[in-house]
Amino acid sequence: MDAGTTVTKAVAFDPAGVPLARVARPTALHRVADGWYEQDADQVVDSVRQVLAELTAAVDRPVAGVGVTAQGDGLWLVDPAGRPVRPAISWMDGRAASIVERWAAGGLLESAYRRTGGLMFPGASGPLLAWLDEHEPAALDRAATAAYCKDVVLQRLTGERATDPSDASMPFLDPRTRRYDDELLAACGLAHRRDLLAPVHDTPYGRLLPSPADGTGLPAGTPVVAAPYDLPASAWGPA
């Protein structure tokens, strides 16, 4: 299952990897100002449930598990239950461009790249967190997690609060230690927002809760695994 920027889609495979059925459903990307793009996280989660329900109905066998991925970057602020405290900011958003320019001029972007292997851009979570800290601090105060799209899906389906190294490394995770770089957070002026970063698991995992299971067509307890987002997944795919 892939919750993309404008489409949520899913494919069912048999044990040999042969596709059995495909389902897709569009989602809305809202242009709220010039260069500003947001999404309704609840709508995206609902689209996931609908796609899974349609796909489950289309196959004639039990589902062994669900693999979840989604668009990377952006900023999906959610409360302790994984519900949005404000609209999600898309990776396409440009409101933090001036912050990125400031960090580039001061050498911070280069330093971050050396530490994490990721080059920040306006739609990355680091600049967006800094922008919200300057302009909407109350939204950050209400949030429990500065999540990525697939993290929200995982939490709403299973109750698990976690992210994986592919998303976390853009921009604060040191991929060599699998720990957030506190010096980098401080350099970005975000040390006081450290608690918003989700725990990093190599393979975030949970089991479908009874409540969301009612909307997916899948039984409660079905395994749900969060996978890397598209860029690192594509790099591994040919291997």
Side-chain angles (χ1 to χ4, degrees):
M1 194 291 304
D2 177 16
T5 306
T6 57
V7 179
T8 296
K9 56 269 190 190
V11 182
F13 296 93
D14 73 7
V18 177
L20 301 174
R22 298 176 175 85
V23 176
R25 182 175 289 270
T27 53
L29 179 68
H30 303 285
R31 183 175 179 269
V32 297
D34 187 21
W36 295 23
Y37 295 92
E38 298 182 344
Q39 288 190 278
D40 181 343
D42 283 335
Q43 187 210 24
V44 172
V45 172
D46 286 344
S47 75
V48 169
R49 290 176 177 154
Q50 292 162 3
V51 163
L52 290 177
E54 292 177 35
L55 193 63
T56 301
V59 297
D60 60 353
R61 63 191 72 190
V63 175
V66 179
V68 174
T69 189
Q71 57 186 288
D73 302 303
L75 188 63
W76 298 62
L77 288 181
V78 294
D79 68 12
R83 299 191 176 276
V85 302
R86 73 173 314 285
I89 304 177
S90 169
W91 63 270
M92 296 175 61
D93 195 271
R95 73 190 70 188
S98 62
I99 290 175
V100 173
E101 291 170 0
R102 186 170 74 229
W103 288 355
L108 180 55
L109 290 192
E110 176 68 18
S111 175
Y113 174 75
R114 297 298 178 189
R115 289 171 176 269
T116 69
L119 188 61
M120 287 188 278
F121 64 103
S125 66
L128 290 173
L129 273 171
W131 190 92
L132 287 173
D133 199 49
E134 292 181 12
H135 299 279
E136 294 183 31
L140 297 182
D141 293 341
R142 293 194 302 273
T145 309
Y148 299 89
C149 182
K150 76 171 191 316
D151 303 340
V152 176
V153 173
L154 180 71
Q155 185 171 8
R156 294 283 288 276
L157 293 181
T158 70
E160 295 295 327
R161 176 182 182 259
T163 192
D164 83 298
S166 72
D167 271 323
S169 63
M170 181 60 85
F172 297 124
L173 186 79
D174 183 335
R176 293 156 295 198
T177 65
R178 292 293 203 273
R179 296 179 179 177
Y180 291 114
D181 189 322
D182 289 324
E183 291 183 3
L184 180 56
L185 276 162
C188 293
L190 293 169
H192 61 299
R193 300 297 185 181
R194 172 68 168 75
D195 62 323
L196 293 176
L197 304 182
V200 180
H201 298 164
D202 282 349
T203 307
Y205 166 87
R207 290 187 177 271
L208 200 63
L209 295 171
S211 177
D214 293 338
T216 63
L218 296 167
T222 299
V224 181
V225 177
Y229 72 100
D230 54 2
L231 290 178
S234 296
W236 290 333

